[in-house]
Amino acid sequence: MTSSLSITWLEFFKFNFLSGGSAEFGVHSPYWYLYSGLPSVLGPLLAFLPFGYFCSKKTRLLTIYATFYIVVYSFIPHKEIRFLLPVTPLLFPICASVVSTLIKKGVQTNKIDGHFGTYLKFAVKLFIGLNIGATIFLGFFHQCGVKRATADISGKISQMDAPRVWIMTPCYAVPIFSHIHHPNIELEYYKCAPKVFRHLYTNESAYPLIQPNGFATVDLHQDISKKLAGAKAPHFILAFQEHVPKIIAAFDKAGYEYKVCVTYFHSYIEDFARAVEILCNS
């Protein structure tokens, strides 16, 4: 194995701006952060963000920095809300300063009394309540199945010598390495490496790489048959409920019998997986 000097920020610039490699994970509109990213992060506070430029010299400087960051990242084809995390510490102080300035001016001009003051207090309480509610729902209930399922598998294999686990879900849908731990585990899962990195996966028995158009095009029967030709069947399989019948049928055709041993609720949203299931030998 050869080694060479790698400059992180330069590699990031080359991959995202020069080669456009991030487009393999999905392409979004240049304005995506304006109509989707920022509203998701700031909520109703977004209405105060543009006024940060006029609020004070400090907020003007922060607003310029934040605007520059968002504009630069808007040129990257693939966009995600998490890409806004580095600039979030600037966005909230800007909005808070604008709100604080409006309240102070209202007090000085006696315009914050009466109905306006009542509405403002109600809006603040409503905003805090909605954020607390969203934190509880998104943190403990929404899409919680994968975390519980992986923790369950980790517990099941803890006393095994050489467990074999297959994760048959779309890429990045399961917190694999943060929840499944075993020194001798044989772990198989789909890999979604961009073209520039696919040469790193040279093991012919490994799962085929998923194409940019996603998990929906994967032939589960073909993948399972190919994998079983060069590897032993797994002790446990983790999959979303809608794919389980195909997985069980593919293993049954190959001479292996699996059944659903545990089911975990995952999401209330109809267009996503409603449950996560763990399959084990019957």
Side-chain angles (χ1 to χ4, degrees):
M1 179 181 293
T2 59
S3 60
S4 60
L5 177 64
S6 179
I7 303 176
T8 304
W9 66 266
L10 180 60
E11 295 299 324
F12 175 89
F13 178 78
K14 289 165 58 178
F15 179 79
N16 289 283
F17 289 93
L18 300 183
S19 67
S22 67
E24 294 188 47
F25 297 98
V27 178
H28 301 82
S29 166
Y31 310 104
W32 187 86
Y33 286 121
L34 296 181
Y35 66 75
S36 183
L38 287 174
S40 299
V41 173
L42 296 177
L45 288 178
L46 179 62
F48 300 104
L49 184 61
F51 298 99
Y53 186 82
F54 307 98
C55 185
S56 66
K57 292 182 178 180
K58 292 182 179 180
T59 58
R60 176 177 300 178
L61 189 60
L62 293 179
T63 304
I64 292 174
Y65 289 156
T67 302
F68 175 77
Y69 178 94
I70 294 171
V71 169
V72 171
Y73 270 70
S74 294
F75 286 98
I76 299 177
H78 180 68
K79 300 172 179 64
E80 296 184 28
I81 292 176
R82 65 188 177 97
F83 295 164
L84 290 175
L85 291 180
V87 78
T88 300
L90 300 183
L91 299 177
F92 282 105
I94 293 172
C95 297
S97 296
V98 173
V99 173
S100 177
T101 300
L102 291 176
I103 293 176
K104 289 179 180 179
K105 289 185 177 179
V107 171
Q108 293 173 355
T109 57
N110 295 323
K111 292 182 179 180
I112 200 168
D113 297 329
H115 293 297
F116 181 76
T118 302
Y119 292 146
L120 182 61
K121 292 178 181 179
F122 173 76
V124 171
K125 293 179 181 178
L126 179 62
F127 179 75
I128 294 174
L130 290 175
N131 275 273
I132 293 175
T135 300
I136 294 174
F137 174 70
L138 297 176
F140 294 96
F141 299 99
H142 180 60
Q143 295 186 10
C144 61
V146 290
K147 180 180 178 181
R148 294 172 181 171
T150 49
D152 187 1
I153 288 180
S154 185
K156 291 180 184 299
I157 66 175
S158 61
Q159 301 302 320
M160 301 175 65
D161 293 331
R164 297 185 298 276
V165 178
W166 289 13
I167 308 295
M168 305 200 71
T169 63
C171 292
Y172 316 121
V174 176
I176 300 175
F177 298 105
S178 62
H179 285 73
I180 300 180
H181 306 286
H182 195 288
N184 300 318
I185 187 173
E186 182 181 314
L187 184 62
E188 299 291 349
Y189 57 95
Y190 282 102
K191 303 171 179 65
C192 296
K195 292 180 180 179
V196 66
F197 299 119
R198 291 182 184 178
H199 67 281
L200 299 175
Y201 301 97
T202 57
N203 185 358
E204 294 182 357
S205 65
Y207 284 146
L209 294 172
I210 295 178
Q211 298 300 316
N213 50 2
F215 187 75
T217 62
V218 171
D219 189 333
L220 292 173
H221 283 268
Q222 180 181 348
D223 289 355
I224 291 172
S225 299
K226 180 179 179 181
K227 185 63 183 176
L228 289 175
K232 295 181 179 180
H235 294 105
F236 300 102
I237 303 170
L238 188 151
F240 290 128
Q241 191 176 51
E242 61 266 36
H243 301 134
V244 167
K246 292 183 178 180
I247 294 173
I248 292 179
F251 275 98
D252 183 66
K253 187 176 181 180
Y256 299 94
E257 294 185 6
Y258 282 85
K259 66 177 182 181
V260 177
C261 54
V262 186
T263 299
Y264 290 99
F265 170 78
H266 185 60
S267 175
Y268 293 94
I269 302 175
E270 291 289 345
D271 60 351
F272 199 75
R274 299 300 300 274
V276 179
E277 295 185 329
I278 299 175
L279 309 182
C280 50
N281 291 318
S282 58

